[in-house]
Amino acid sequence: MSGGSVRASPEPWTTQDGNEPRAWSMDGVTFEYRSPIAAPVRLGGYVLITARGGEYMGQVLSKDVVDAGGHRAVRGHGRLIGTGEGVPFDDSPVTPAPAARIRDALSSGAARLDIGTLVVNADVPAVLHAKGFNRHTFLCGQSGSGKTYALGVLLENLLLRTRLPLLVLDPNGDHVHLGVPRGDVAPATAEAYAAAVDGLRVLHADAGGDASPLRIRLSELDAAGSAALLQLDPIADREEYNALLHVLSSASHKPFASVEEALEAFRASGDHVLELIRKRIENLGVDRMTAWAGLQARSLMEVWAQDQPRALVADASGFEEHRERMAVAVAVLQQLWAYRRRRQPLLLVVDEAHDVCPAQPADPLQRLAMELFARIAGEGRKYGIHLLLASQRPDKLPDNVLTQCDNLMLMRVNSAADRQALAARFGFVAPSLIEMAGTFELGESLVAGRIAPEPLLARTGTRLTPEGGADVPTDWAVG
């Protein structure tokens, strides 16, 4: 039960029998309440409770209609915010919390990320805690919910208000303009943002003109990634698999600079099994993939390691084959894990994460990517590798990845089954709040976890940079 828009009430809250809304608490941390059915508060909204000679703010986490002696009333529960006392109280008056009080309670702390305003009170900014991104984050919203736009706002805030390096795997080219403020942004804000994103790099799959290419090297896939790309099974294809392991191991001190160099080495070796591998590469068309770095180009991970950019956006939208996007993702994950002991913090942002980390992998390369994501989800945080995964549905991602996410940003999800699955996986969020995702409007979200110590119902603010991708225009609908 979410209710309509919040309006100030000229009358005090009163029940039909004249009683004011009242709250009580057995532990001084949570509270129960009763109120008239028309009380001006929404699920997820905030109230003031007068008890023990003071006022305490709480958030409403459930609302249910009950029979109250011949008329309907509301009974629900919530959680007190910032009391820290744990002292019970009984039969205490409840009133709506004013905007100033909500703002003070939710906007404390340093490194704030202002992503918009509260749905329940448009006068209060929706503020996230930047330090909370040292935990993995899941952003979920179906097509048309505003997920990609909201992710852009979030990335802009991270760039503007933190020093955390970002590595963005962008399958649709939605974030290629992150380094360029829009022309209508206030000059002071545009100047501050331009300074914050100095050093941001964008690599393109279909690089042309002055664009920098998005490329990888065979050696960056490691032996496991190379074998997966070539569909080599360690048992069924044991001779080829073993030969590939040895040739890549022997070349580790001087990795093949290109696939062409590897093919030539296999051809010149005179080894029958390496010749079979060479033919497999050609038969599968792996040598014709555009993702390979040539002798003159640097790979994505070489740019990341050598230039140490403020952020790096890998625009994979120009790859015609899905396996190229998969190969890029595997190369990134392999190299980040290989250098994990350097303990250099970064946020790995994966838009449309189900595209490269599917719950049901269809081939060896997807299976390897899923295993690498699960390893980083489980162990990466202690090495400073943090994940921000965006997807349309929770069931498209593996459980052992999702359950490692301590932050949730949930936009509209129409499927009741998906909402139930989210409630089961994210037990730190009240199920009643997750259920609200079925009624969210465009740009509305529920944010909870370390990035929002108190769950927030947020409405996404305006972006500072242009969107990269766009839907096909529907001007054909105009008569």
Side-chain angles (χ1 to χ4, degrees), residues 136-194:
H136 304 314
T137 303
F138 179 47
L139 167 56
C140 182
Q142 68 182 49
S143 179
S145 65
K147 171 175 63 67
T148 299
Y149 190 95
L151 178 58
V153 170
L154 190 55
L155 297 182
E156 290 168 354
N157 270 269
L158 287 165
L159 288 167
L160 185 60
R161 305 182 190 280
T162 77
R163 296 191 302 275
L164 182 63
L166 309 182
L167 202 170
V168 183
L169 299 186
D170 182 7
N172 298 321
D174 291 316
H175 307 291
V176 295
H177 302 311
L178 267 180
V180 185
R182 292 198 334 263
D184 59 348
V185 173
T189 302
E191 183 178 356
Y193 186 79

Side-chain angles (χ1 to χ4, degrees), residues 35-102:
S35 75
I37 201 167
V41 66
R42 292 180 62 175
L43 184 61
Y46 305 91
V47 295
L48 285 183
I49 301 171
T50 304
R52 305 190 302 271
E55 288 184 330
Y56 302 91
M57 196 171 88
Q59 183 178 29
V60 175
L61 299 179
S62 78
K63 292 179 68 175
D64 294 298
V65 177
V66 296
D67 188 308
H71 64 271
R72 285 179 292 274
V74 169
R75 171 76 181 264
H77 83 278
R79 184 176 178 84
L80 298 172
I81 297 175
T83 60
E85 297 180 16
V87 179
F89 57 84
D90 189 20
D91 198 33
S92 300
V94 179
T95 57
R101 187 69 180 267
I102 302 172

Side-chain angles (χ1 to χ4, degrees), residues 251-372:
S252 61
H253 64 286
K254 187 181 179 182
F256 296 120
S258 65
V259 173
E260 290 78 7
E261 184 179 272
L263 288 173
E264 183 56 36
F266 295 170
R267 182 184 291 108
S269 69
D271 186 287
H272 171 66
V273 180
L274 290 181
E275 177 63 13
L276 291 178
I277 295 175
R278 184 188 69 80
K279 289 179 179 179
R280 179 184 286 264
I281 291 173
E282 293 181 351
N283 291 347
L284 291 173
V286 170
D287 57 324
R288 297 187 293 278
M289 286 169 45
T290 57
W292 300 122
L295 296 177
Q296 305 303 319
R298 290 191 297 167
S299 72
L300 179 159
M301 293 309 295
E302 287 170 345
V303 172
W304 177 261
Q306 294 168 11
D307 297 355
Q308 298 186 1
R310 173 66 186 88
L312 193 155
V313 178
D315 169 23
S317 61
F319 288 134
E320 294 189 3
E321 295 188 65
H322 180 255
R323 65 175 173 177
E324 296 189 271
R325 294 193 293 274
M326 290 300 312
V328 168
V330 169
V332 168
L333 295 169
Q334 292 276 33
Q335 294 305 299
L336 290 180
W337 190 250
Y339 294 110
R340 66 191 181 280
R341 299 194 187 280
R342 296 180 180 180
R343 302 176 70 88
Q344 296 176 340
L346 78 139
L347 182 66
L348 177 60
V349 182
V350 188
D351 200 0
E352 306 297 346
H354 55 273
D355 187 54
V356 292
C357 181
Q360 301 294 330
D363 56 54
L365 197 60
Q366 287 189 345
R367 187 174 302 108
L368 177 60
M370 182 190 69
E371 292 169 356
L372 289 168

Side-chain angles (χ1 to χ4, degrees), residues 199-217:
L200 182 147
R201 299 287 306 278
V202 181
L203 306 182
H204 300 273
D206 56 350
D210 296 331
S212 300
L214 170 58
R215 301 292 183 260
I216 61 173
R217 297 200 184 280

Side-chain angles (χ1 to χ4, degrees), residues 123-136:
D123 294 327
V124 180
V127 177
L128 306 187
H129 292 195
K131 287 185 177 180
F133 284 94
N134 70 344
R135 298 295 196 275
H136 304 314

